[in-house]
Amino acid sequence: MMKRVATKPEPKVVADVHHPLEHYFRNERLPHIWCPGCGLGTSMSCLAAAFDHLKLDVDDVSVVSGIGCSGRLAGYMRPDSYHTTHGRALPFATGLRVALEKTKPGHKVVVFSGDGDLFSIGGNHFIHAARRNIDLSVFCVNNFNYGMTGGQVGPTTPLGSKGTTAPYGMFEHPFNLPYLAASSGAPYVARWTTLHVHRLQQAMEEAIQKRGFTFVEIIAPCPTNFGRRNGLPTGLDEMRYYREEAVIENFADPKDAEIIPGKPFIVGTFVNEDKPDYVAIYEKFVADHFGVTVK
Amino acid sequence: MNKKDILAGEHFLNGDVACAEGAIAAGCRLFAGYPITPQSEITETMAHRLPTIGGFFLQMEDELASIAAVLGGAWGGMKAMTATSGPGFSLMMENLGLGIMTETPCVIVDVQRGGPSTGLPTATSQADMMQARWGTHGDHEIIAYAPASPQEMFDQTIKAFNQSERYRQPVLVMADEVVGHMMERVVIDPDKIEIYPRRKPSVPYEEFLPYRGGADMVPEMACAGEGYRVHVTGLTHDERGYPDLSVESQDALMHRLIGKIRDNADQIIEVEEENIRGADVVLVTYGIAARTSLRAMELAEQKGIKVGMLRLITVWPFPLKEVRKIAGAVKGIVVPELNLGQIVREVERAAAGQCPVRLVGHAGGGLHRPEDILTAIEEVA
């Protein structure tokens, strides 16, 4: 049995070079725990690049995550970050965002979590946060399985795909996340893969800038647990799959955004509309009726 | 906080409304809840009041979300509360643990009703007392109040907020349906209300360790956007707040989390003693059961039995020392409670065989008959 050690050895400094995005990271926490070929590192880089491009100060944004591989992202990013309970990132972020309207208006709240966290155990919270139009930027890394716990199937696992709790293939239909988000009322819905890094970064920027409940699905590889059981054993195989089958189509009907293995699937912006968010409606009402400000 | 937002003066209020007003007086400006009886008037009062004073009222999709939003609100720099009953309290156990682990100040009110499961949705019980203590998984300490009147619903909700800030932990107000729904005089003097403020960092970012306890083992709290770049996790963490899943880290964290309550218990524990000195029998009771017990005391005195009462204002931490001292000086202890034996176990443990301890249980849905308490008093006298 491997011996647990309390602290990691200090990394040896080989050259005094700095990464242009390092101020967004807790460098003392890196390297991360994610597997080779995993899409989470790419997604995290895109998020930091989006912060940087928006000139978002590290103290003007908070990152909230749930539990799972994606949930660990909060622990690697330098802003105030909250690693909550499984499925509860959105209601936690709801309270945080609402409170910040009083304590620090303009502060951004980003929720970054996985498909199982946001859509299985947290599914109810997702539809309600979208319905309320809480001003949150929600980024969901969809790798079609529960990676951290060993490759169990989840609510986005395609019909017939294999996982450790579906050794004969998935018997259930999956969620179509853009369709679910759009029909729940989200005013911004997009989907990209970790192959489309520039478009993903751009979508994250749009989502962060837009006030309201904004949602970006990030299709990402999990070669360790999902890919190798489903004919895509390396990260590169997944990238090839995205290059061959991802079809860019903006403002497609989200109903058509189903993902069926081996078949083309749509990526792009599905919804981008203006809609007053919960806090804006609330603030206006209390100002008009009671002459008070929440700030 | 503006004193004019407090409901000052003398009022005829039900306990639930008094609780909501107490929260407002304590500075609570964020409430997240979900409809459930018999706490409904707390949520409804907050929905009515908070928008008028610049607070936020959130009706969430369930109790899981309610407590999560309260924790988020606290990290956003606000004082936050939720209130629930019965099944809703069960749903909150998960994030009560997150609140303890992340040392998040907030208040959770449980207006108890009969259970298990749907049980008695509109009728009283005190059967969640052990769930309050041990309901969330893992080792931990709890602070819980047991109000016995609308005035105490007001006063103890304020105390709960103060203790949650003082010890940086969710604090429970364990009310019950009768106290929640009874209407009584409540006197509110805003000038006499003391507020314990949030413990803000006293050092700059570079020197700040968000999970290093002070002399009393309680750390200072940097909220979102204050420039301290804090990482908050439900995982076992070191003083920086970073996950560290080692035996050593778990040991240090658990000793501090438990120690900050256990070692400060004398400052937290609050009891009310009545006629203890020279008593033959002492009633150890709490909440609404203590009020029924007053009539039993009168009946016993008419029969020449000297009866005292130790009323638990805080049920958790349990006043072990106080009960142990009484047990060594009386013929017997009687414990009336609206369940079939929860706090009586703690009393037995504290009494440690020094005197007989009798439970006067009640399955819930109504209150004790004073005569039943009297019978138990006579048995041990």
Side-chain angles (χ1 to χ4, degrees):
Chain A
M1 206 175 136
M2 217 174 77
K3 193 172 178 286
R4 265 183 204 280
V5 286
T7 49
K8 288 190 187 119
E10 286 299 316
K12 202 172 146 192
V13 176
V14 290
D16 189 24
V17 289
H18 294 273
H19 191 279
L21 298 174
E22 69 175 14
H23 57 292
Y24 289 114
F25 294 101
R26 299 180 190 271
N27 299 303
E28 64 276 24
R29 294 298 298 160
L30 298 172
H32 56 63
I33 61 164
W34 299 319
C35 304
C38 171
L40 279 161
T42 309
S43 306
M44 187 164 74
S45 296
C46 288
L47 183 59
F51 287 168
D52 192 58
H53 196 234
L54 293 173
K55 296 189 169 49
L56 195 54
D57 191 284
V58 70
D59 293 325
D60 291 337
V61 61
S62 293
V63 180
V64 181
S65 71
I67 296 293
C69 293
S70 309
R72 289 302 189 98
L73 176 135
Y76 300 130
M77 300 213 71
R78 183 60 80 195
D80 290 311
S81 48
Y82 302 91
H83 182 219
T84 65
T85 37
H86 198 20
R88 319 296 169 222
L90 281 172
F92 183 98
T94 297
L96 183 71
R97 173 63 188 85
V98 164
L100 281 161
E101 190 69 15
K102 187 179 274 294
T103 58
K104 200 183 172 206
H107 191 91
K108 301 281 186 186
V109 179
V110 167
V111 176
F112 192 103
S113 215
D115 48 292
D117 186 80
L118 284 167
F119 292 98
S120 187
I121 190 164
N124 195 37
H125 306 310
F126 181 88
I127 59 173
H128 286 279
R131 172 183 65 78
R132 282 184 196 105
N133 199 18
I134 294 281
D135 179 32
L136 298 171
S137 312
V138 183
F139 304 133
C140 173
V141 167
N142 181 4
N143 60 13
F144 307 100
N145 81 133
Y146 290 91
M148 186 167 272
T149 46
Q152 296 83 8
V153 292
T156 59
T157 308
L159 192 66
S161 292
K162 287 181 178 170
T164 53
T165 48
Y168 312 110
M170 182 66 164
F171 300 126
E172 302 170 16
H173 298 281
F175 273 137
N176 166 348
L177 299 185
Y179 187 35
L180 180 66
S183 56
S184 301
Y188 182 91
V189 180
R191 169 199 277 163
W192 296 99
T193 78
T194 50
L195 177 75
H196 305 86
V197 286
H198 294 296
R199 291 177 173 99
L200 174 58
Q201 180 195 325
Q202 204 174 13
M204 286 173 156
E205 289 174 26
E206 284 177 2
I208 293 166
Q209 279 182 299
K210 190 176 186 74
R211 207 175 148 134
F213 186 92
T214 55
F215 175 67
V216 182
E217 179 187 11
I218 306 161
I219 306 289
C222 177
T224 303
N225 272 318
F226 186 76
R228 80 183 158 94
R229 295 190 172 93
N230 292 286
L232 297 165
T234 70
L236 199 60
D237 293 326
E238 294 253 9
M239 290 295 155
R240 203 171 284 124
Y241 163 60
Y242 301 158
R243 195 183 61 193
E244 285 163 10
E245 303 295 353
V247 179
I248 298 174
E249 188 186 340
N250 286 317
F251 302 104
D253 185 343
K255 203 174 176 181
D256 300 330
E258 285 181 302
I259 295 175
I260 301 164
K263 293 196 174 166
F265 64 94
I266 300 172
V267 293
T269 307
F270 293 91
V271 179
N272 191 357
E273 61 190 32
D274 291 323
K275 185 176 176 181
D277 68 285
Y278 165 83
V279 167
I281 294 168
Y282 193 91
E283 275 192 289
K284 187 174 183 321
F285 185 90
V286 301
D288 290 351
H289 288 77
F290 305 118
V292 294
T293 171
V294 296
K295 294 193 172 80
Chain B
M1 197 188 67
N2 206 328
K3 275 191 180 170
K4 74 172 169 48
D5 296 337
I6 300 172
L7 181 75
E10 289 187 32
H11 302 274
F12 190 55
L13 302 178
N14 89 8
D16 283 350
V17 173
C19 172
E21 292 296 343
I24 288 167
C28 172
R29 292 293 179 274
L30 192 152
F31 182 93
Y34 183 79
I36 191 164
T37 49
Q39 70 71 46
S40 299
E41 296 90 338
I42 301 178
T43 299
E44 288 167 2
T45 302
M46 289 308 236
H48 183 74
R49 287 273 276 135
L50 285 176
T52 69
I53 56 173
F56 279 109
F57 171 82
L58 286 161
Q59 181 167 318
M60 300 302 290
E61 52 273 22
D62 55 33
E63 289 88 349
L64 303 163
S66 301
I67 176 69
V70 162
L71 297 179
W75 282 101
M78 288 180 78
K79 287 192 179 181
M81 181 172 98
T82 186
T84 191
S85 299
F89 195 53
S90 295
L91 289 179
M92 288 186 185
M93 289 300 119
E94 171 197 54
N95 271 342
L96 170 60
L98 181 67
I100 292 167
M101 192 60 147
T102 57
E103 301 182 66
T104 308
C106 63
V107 173
I108 302 164
V109 183
D110 177 17
V111 183
Q112 295 172 84
R113 67 189 224 187
S117 190
T118 314
L120 301 168
T122 60
T124 193
S125 99
Q126 293 177 315
D128 302 348
M129 299 310 295
M130 279 294 170
Q131 185 186 18
R133 178 65 186 87
W134 295 113
T136 193
H137 66 272
D139 214 355
H140 56 274
E141 284 286 338
I142 282 288
I143 302 174
Y145 285 88
S149 66
Q151 181 71 54
E152 287 195 349
M153 286 289 266
F154 182 88
D155 295 338
Q156 291 181 17
T157 302
I158 296 173
K159 283 183 185 176
F161 270 100
N162 286 344
Q163 298 290 42
S164 81
E165 297 291 343
R166 170 78 181 76
Y167 295 102
R168 274 195 61 187
Q169 176 156 314
V171 172
L172 309 177
V173 177
M174 299 301 294
D176 77 284
E177 183 275 332
V178 173
V179 165
H181 284 161
M182 70 163 63
M183 294 197 66
E184 280 184 340
R185 181 168 171 263
V186 177
V187 183
I188 301 166
D189 180 355
D191 294 329
K192 287 192 179 152
I193 294 169
E194 285 177 26
I195 301 297
Y196 193 95
R198 187 149 296 177
R199 305 170 78 139
K200 293 283 186 186
S202 54
V203 294
Y205 162 64
E206 294 74 21
E207 297 164 35
F208 185 62
L209 285 167
Y211 285 97
R212 170 176 284 177
D216 58 359
M217 289 181 264
V218 184
E220 293 165 338
M221 185 171 181
C223 294
E226 292 180 348
Y228 284 86
R229 303 167 190 179
V230 174
H231 181 57
V232 175
T233 178
L235 284 168
T236 296
H237 45 271
D238 60 21
E239 290 184 337
R240 296 173 301 173
Y242 292 167
D244 178 354
L245 311 186
S246 65
V247 172
E248 294 78 10
S249 185
Q250 172 74 359
D251 185 71
L253 181 61
M254 291 316 296
H255 274 95
R256 189 176 61 72
L257 289 182
I258 287 176
K260 73 178 179 181
I261 306 299
R262 217 174 261 180
D263 293 6
N264 293 311
D266 288 345
Q267 273 106 61
I268 302 168
I269 289 170
E270 204 179 323
V271 293
E272 186 183 81
E273 296 186 354
E274 200 177 324
N275 300 331
I276 301 274
R277 192 182 291 266
D280 297 322
V281 177
V282 166
L283 300 169
V284 177
T285 184
Y286 55 95
I288 192 64
R291 294 187 63 166
T292 326
S293 299
L294 290 173
R295 176 64 185 149
M297 280 173 83
E298 285 174 7
L299 295 174
E301 276 158 23
Q302 284 166 17
K303 295 197 169 195
I305 309 168
K306 290 174 78 176
V307 182
M309 184 191 286
L310 182 79
R311 183 163 74 92
L312 314 181
I313 309 287
T314 50
V315 173
W316 306 117
F318 186 78
L320 207 71
K321 280 189 277 188
E322 290 81 351
V323 174
R324 184 155 296 168
K325 197 173 143 207
I326 289 167
V330 297
K331 290 182 187 164
I333 292 177
V334 171
V335 184
E337 55 181 337
L338 293 176
N339 56 59
L340 298 186
Q342 294 194 11
I343 297 303
V344 68
R345 291 163 172 258
E346 293 295 306
V347 177
E348 282 167 351
R349 192 164 70 86
Q354 296 179 90
C355 73
V357 175
R358 287 273 188 286
L359 165 72
V360 186
H362 188 299
L367 302 179
H368 291 95
R369 292 187 330 134
E371 295 77 11
D372 294 338
I373 301 171
L374 176 68
T375 304
I377 292 170
E378 288 175 322
E379 278 171 15
V380 299

